[in-house]
Amino acid sequence: MTLKQQAIRGALWTGIQNWAGQMGAFLVFFVLARLLEPADFGLVALANVFLAFMQIFLEQGFAQALIQREDLEPEHLDTAFWTNIAIGIALGLLSLLTADWIAAGFDEPRLTPILRCFSLIFLINALRGTQQAVLERQFAFKAIAMRSLLGIMIGGITGIGMALSGLGVWSLVGQQFMNELVGTLVIWKASDWRPRFRFSLRHFRQLFRFGSHVLGLNFLNFFNTKINDFLIGYFLGSVALGYYAISYRILQVMTQLLVRTTSGVSLPTFSRLKHDLNRFRNAFYTVTRLTSAIAFPFFLGTSVLAPELVTVLFGEKWLPAVPVIQLLSILGLVRSISFFKSSVFMALGEPAWAMKLKFLSVTLNLVGFAIAFRWGIIGVTFANMMRGLIVFPVGQWVLSRMVKIPFFTYSRQFSAALVSSLVMMGLLLSVKTYLTSLIEMQIIILSLCTLLGAATYGLMLRTLAPQIVAEFWEIGRVALSRSKDTQKA
């Protein structure tokens, strides 16, 4: 099987994982949002700030180092596994010991038992890290997709069942715990690699030399994403954090569906092409072109239809989240074409550049919050959006110098999708205003605008960039032929 076929097959299974998994997760999210209160989501979001911070030290970059290495030896895998186990146990104990102190810091005594329950997740995730890296290195994305789907399904059933039983915030805790546990069990069943009781200091140094940059990047990425949860929860309260958390969750779902389908295979693919810059650039252009063609209309369409979307899916009690969702949709537009830069830096063995860009982003985020928090979550979200718009051209400049990508050539990859999406957006604004004066039912307005937006965008893209449509047909043909070959076998 060629590298292109491996990448397409991997993207197909990642797409199945993302679309089926995220649609299932969003359905669970939709049900829980109607059963629970914003404060419940805010409380678990606070607990997840601590969980995500501690998780940085568990995910110390060894997985990326294992995927990226050309001369991978069995000792690398064993060393990475036992390092993860030791760190997972240490983090779990630390979580148990500090739960009271952290809860007191937020003046939220209900946090204590939640943090203690989450302490078990560190060991669960430690058992999974090396196994998943092995599967990603082998392009075994089918097994990874099954892990995600089963975890989401069983975790969702658990969460909804607990919510219907009146367990409140614990339904969110149970959902997350079961998701992680089931995912780890599935990964171990799918992988044929098993650790041996050995540890090599030399191999640890080799992995840490690469992973230390990823650790720094993950540390900065935490401040880039979770620090807003911490600051909003501390300064504005758990209710405001609940509105922000559900808005950011929508952005995450859309990013997962529209961007991560291809980003999951980008690191192993780029790593294989790093010695052939022409093919490397072409792969980067292709993934940017196709991702923008999918993501742009969804993000801009969401910014227009956010009021109807929130009312129909979550109910009127969540309407204060609408302006936050609209601003985050613009940020999602930028993220969709920035997402692959980290994979490029990792594949080229230059994770330090990704870390420097994250540091710039974190600095701007903290400065923006300090200025904007007095205007509430809308001010904070606006500052977050502006941060993304500032960092994007800087990152592109670094990438252009590294792999000789002219900005004009790069911008052409997403220009047709952007123009088509803006035309669609303008039409939706006009039509929605007209329909609102005639129709009271929000679901009808949302349905009609969605159909009109899809038709308008498809027609515009077909007119401006027929080659992009042809590329999607080619990917579908390769994926379908591969599926038929698998069935015959």
Side-chain angles (χ1 to χ4, degrees):
M1 189 187 305
T2 67
L3 179 60
K4 179 179 178 180
Q5 290 173 324
Q6 284 182 312
I8 290 176
R9 188 185 181 195
L12 173 65
W13 277 109
T14 305
I16 292 172
Q17 168 192 336
N18 286 336
W19 282 86
Q22 289 301 319
M23 293 306 292
F26 196 75
L27 178 61
V28 173
F29 184 56
F30 159 73
V31 174
L32 291 176
R34 288 191 167 269
L35 294 173
L36 304 175
E37 295 300 317
D40 294 326
F41 284 88
L43 193 63
V44 173
L46 278 178
N48 273 312
V49 171
F50 173 77
L51 185 68
F53 178 73
M54 302 290 276
Q55 195 80 4
I56 295 170
F57 302 98
L58 181 61
E59 299 172 356
Q60 71 286 84
F62 280 15
Q64 291 89 336
L66 294 173
I67 296 170
Q68 192 265 352
R69 283 193 72 86
E70 294 181 9
D71 54 337
L72 187 68
E73 299 173 0
E75 289 82 358
H76 285 119
L77 296 173
D78 295 327
T79 299
F81 178 83
W82 292 113
T83 301
N84 284 347
I85 293 297
I87 294 174
I89 293 172
L91 293 177
L93 291 174
L94 183 61
S95 178
L96 285 171
L97 295 173
T98 60
D100 279 328
W101 177 76
I102 294 169
F106 286 99
D107 195 24
E108 284 282 5
R110 290 187 297 167
L111 267 181
T112 299
I114 294 174
L115 290 172
R116 286 175 175 163
C117 182
F118 277 172
S119 65
L120 295 173
I121 291 179
F122 295 117
L123 181 57
I124 292 170
N125 288 345
L127 288 165
R128 185 175 69 224
T130 306
Q131 293 280 15
Q132 181 156 330
V134 170
L135 293 174
E136 288 187 28
R137 183 179 173 88
Q138 297 170 348
F139 283 82
F141 288 95
K142 178 179 179 180
I144 297 171
M146 294 304 298
R147 174 197 75 78
S148 177
L149 295 176
L150 285 173
I152 288 170
M153 181 180 70
I154 297 176
I157 293 171
T158 301
I160 292 174
M162 292 174 71
L164 291 172
S165 300
L167 293 176
V169 69
W170 284 100
S171 60
L172 296 172
V173 176
Q175 176 202 12
Q176 188 167 338
F177 184 85
M178 289 302 297
N179 191 337
E180 301 291 351
L181 177 62
V182 171
T184 296
L185 293 175
V186 172
I187 283 291
W188 271 79
K189 173 131 180 89
S191 174
D192 57 1
W193 177 81
R194 294 293 181 265
R196 286 184 281 185
F197 291 99
R198 60 183 177 181
F199 180 90
S200 167
L201 189 58
R202 178 173 66 88
H203 290 84
F204 175 85
R205 290 196 189 101
Q206 291 175 350
L207 293 174
F208 188 74
R209 193 176 299 121
F210 182 93
S212 60
H213 293 290
V214 181
L215 176 63
L217 178 62
N218 289 340
F219 189 78
L220 292 172
N221 193 51
F222 165 82
F223 281 96
N224 209 32
T225 55
K226 290 295 184 180
I227 195 61
N228 280 344
D229 288 359
F230 172 83
L231 294 173
I232 290 171
Y234 189 83
F235 288 102
L236 303 178
S238 59
V239 175
L241 179 56
Y243 289 127
Y244 184 83
I246 201 169
S247 304
Y248 203 83
R249 174 62 176 158
I250 292 173
L251 172 66
Q252 287 180 314
V253 168
M254 293 178 67
T255 302
Q256 188 79 14
L257 291 176
L258 305 173
V259 181
R260 285 187 181 271
T261 297
T262 46
S263 72
V265 298
S266 61
L267 177 57
T269 302
F270 288 154
S271 296
R272 301 280 184 91
L273 299 174
K274 62 185 175 183
H275 299 302
D276 188 341
L277 280 184
N278 284 331
R279 293 180 67 197
F280 190 100
R281 280 190 291 267
N282 287 335
F284 180 74
Y285 288 151
T286 299
V287 77
T288 300
R289 187 165 57 247
L290 298 181
T291 300
S292 64
I294 296 172
F296 280 18
F298 277 89
F299 282 117
L300 289 180
T302 298
S303 69
V304 175
L305 300 175
E308 293 75 21
L309 190 66
V310 168
T311 302
V312 170
L313 292 181
F314 307 119
E316 294 186 358
K317 66 181 177 181
W318 292 100
L319 281 175
V322 166
V324 179
I325 293 171
Q326 291 173 324
L327 291 171
L328 288 178
S329 295
I330 306 302
L331 177 63
L333 197 76
V334 177
R335 277 191 175 186
S336 66
I337 51 175
S338 304
F339 215 84
F340 304 99
K341 290 186 177 68
S342 291
S343 294
V344 170
F345 297 139
M346 298 293 178
L348 295 175
E350 297 285 351
W353 274 112
M355 189 166 64
K356 291 174 184 176
L357 289 173
K358 280 294 183 210
F359 182 78
L360 172 62
S361 184
V362 167
T363 303
L364 292 174
N365 194 27
L366 293 175
V367 171
F369 187 93
I371 295 172
F373 83 95
R374 67 197 70 185
W375 289 284
I377 55 173
I378 296 176
V380 171
T381 308
F382 181 79
N384 197 2
M385 180 193 72
M386 293 305 299
R387 179 270 314 261
L389 294 174
I390 293 170
V391 172
F392 170 71
V394 178
Q396 188 55 42
W397 176 78
V398 173
L399 184 65
S400 297
R401 289 176 62 86
M402 188 174 294
V403 290
K404 304 296 186 296
I405 294 178
F407 181 77
F408 178 73
T409 304
Y410 171 70
S411 62
R412 280 192 313 177
Q413 309 308 316
F414 58 82
S415 59
L418 180 60
V419 171
S420 300
S421 298
L422 289 173
V423 171
M424 176 203 74
M425 184 181 182
L427 182 63
L428 285 180
L429 284 170
S430 301
V431 171
K432 192 181 86 163
T433 302
Y434 175 72
L435 289 176
T436 302
S437 64
L438 299 177
I439 303 172
E440 292 186 2
M441 294 185 65
Q442 300 281 313
I443 190 169
I444 296 178
I445 297 175
L446 181 62
S447 301
L448 292 175
C449 287
T450 301
L451 292 173
L452 177 63
T456 303
Y457 177 77
L459 181 61
M460 286 295 302
L461 190 67
R462 174 72 178 175
T463 302
L464 296 177
Q467 73 279 7
I468 295 180
V469 179
E471 284 182 284
F472 280 117
W473 279 112
E474 172 64 14
I475 290 172
R477 185 190 64 78
V478 172
L480 184 62
S481 64
R482 178 62 194 172
S483 175
K484 289 180 178 178
D485 290 343
T486 303
Q487 291 176 359
K488 290 179 181 178

